[in-house]
Amino acid sequence: WCAKEAIGKALGRGLIGGPRSVKILACDARKQRMTCVLQGGLEGLAESANGRIEAWWTFDAGLAASLCLLKHA
């Protein structure tokens, strides 16, 4: 959830349509990275990334943090 929320914030839209608007395509636990695609109300907002967005996460002592960087035109 934390990574999906980071993606919504990076897009400046939040999670329009809820957490299902970001679909996880791949998850690499070793690198703490996931590749996602946008759906629903967010679909088409990541054209500069070929429709795919990456997010990174970390967690410790029950706390989670996630980061998503996007290049805006």
Side-chain angles (χ1 to χ4, degrees):
W1 171 263
C2 186
K4 289 183 174 192
E5 185 69 23
I7 291 170
K9 288 180 179 183
L11 291 167
R13 302 290 177 101
L15 290 178
I16 298 171
R20 290 187 177 156
S21 59
V22 178
K23 179 180 179 182
I24 299 170
L25 297 178
C27 186
D28 186 334
R30 186 177 54 83
K31 293 182 180 178
Q32 294 180 307
R33 178 176 65 194
M34 66 177 60
T35 302
C36 303
V37 65
L38 303 176
Q39 304 181 128
L42 296 178
E43 192 171 3
L45 293 178
E47 292 176 17
S48 64
N50 295 322
R52 295 183 181 212
I53 296 177
E54 291 190 343
W56 296 264
W57 76 89
T58 188
F59 57 92
D60 186 34
L63 301 173
S66 188
L67 173 70
C68 176
L69 300 174
L70 295 176
K71 180 179 179 180
H72 290 279

